[in-house]
Amino acid sequence: MDKTSVRCEIADCGEPATHKIAAHWNDARFSELKTYGFACPEHVEEVCHKAEIRWLDYEPVAGERVGAISIYRYEVGKSDREFMRDREMEQSFLTCPPPS
Ligand SMILES: [Zn+2]
C-alpha cells in the first residue's frame, strides 16, 4: 500500500479517497481550501454529512470568510487549484444552502 495516498476517513474503511470535501476559506492575507474530509465513492454522502455539521458549527472570526462546501474529485499529486468539482455529487449529497 502506498503510504502517501489519502484514505477514506470513515473508520474501518481504508479505501483510497476519491473525493475531497472542502470549502474555500480566506482572511485578509491568505486563502486556501479548508479540508473537511476525504471519502471513497461509497462514503461521500456520510463524509459530506459530517462536514456540513462542522461547517454549520463554525463561527468565522472577524475578517474570515468561509465559502460553501464543495465536493472535489481528489487526485494524488494534484494541487488544490487543480481539483475538479463533482457537481453531480454536490447535487445529490449537499444540503447546505449555497452562499448568497
Ligand atoms: Zn470509505
Side-chain angles (χ1 to χ4, degrees), residues 4 13-14 18 30 32 34-36 54-55 66 69 84 92:
T4 62
C13 175
T18 56
F30 299 107
E32 64 173 21
K34 185 177 162 67
T35 302
Y36 282 89
R54 281 164 57 204
W55 184 84
V66 182
I69 285 186
M84 300 286 293
S92 306

Side-chain angles (χ1 to χ4, degrees), residues 8-10 13-15 39-43:
C8 174
E9 68 168 41
I10 298 298
C13 175
E15 290 294 314
C40 71
E42 294 271 294
H43 292 123

